[in-house]
Amino acid sequence: MLALAFPLAGCVETVAEMTPNTDAHPQFVRRPDVSLAGASVAFVSVDGPPAAVSASFSQIMAREAAAHDIVIADAKKARYLVRGYLSAYATADGAAVEYVWDVFTKDRQRTQRVDDVLDVKGDGSDPWRIVGEAALASVAAKSADDLAAFLSNTPEAVAAVQPLAGSEAKPLSYAPVN
């Protein structure tokens, strides 16, 4: 696996050379008062990239999903099924990597589409070589952030019970005291 990643390394100098689509806007805002545990997902496919890129991206995406509290489950047990699509194409300054995540319910009804484009500066004729590992990591991080925001707004996201500081139950001044 490591030998397959080397051809992709070095195509992008720094992460600063990658820019997200400035026209993009968050589709959802993640709710901080919920748990994603009840909104488990199964990543059923990632289509588009060459096999080595897909395998590498899948590992990166799994790490990012865990870091964003997304619970990954077996497809038969997951509340949501996620299909991913990645494409890379040449641009005037390098390449762009576009991603789409379609989120389906267990009964295969699409509930959400999450998508964006990331521009990567670089030289070369193969867009996937220009994209490289750093850009894939950025796509995975942004994807996980967007998916977590969507999942936090689902009915399965359970509100976390956290009492406010100083909000201990006190009897009302007019309540009868026995």
Side-chain angles (χ1 to χ4, degrees), residues 50-97:
V53 174
S54 183
S56 177
F57 180 77
S58 294
Q59 290 178 346
I60 296 167
M61 188 64 203
R63 284 194 304 270
E64 284 296 332
H68 284 79
D69 302 321
I70 296 172
V71 176
I72 299 175
D74 179 73
K76 292 182 181 183
K77 296 180 182 177
R79 295 255 187 208
Y80 294 95
L81 305 173
V82 181
R83 297 186 72 103
Y85 310 92
L86 293 175
S87 63
Y89 52 89
T91 64
D93 294 335
V97 60

Side-chain angles (χ1 to χ4, degrees), residues 7 12 14 19 23-25 41-42 68 71-72 75 91 115 125 147 170:
V12 175
T14 65
T19 57
D23 296 331
H25 58 304
V41 301
H68 284 79
V71 176
I72 299 175
T91 64
D115 59 344
S125 60
L147 287 170
K170 297 178 185 175

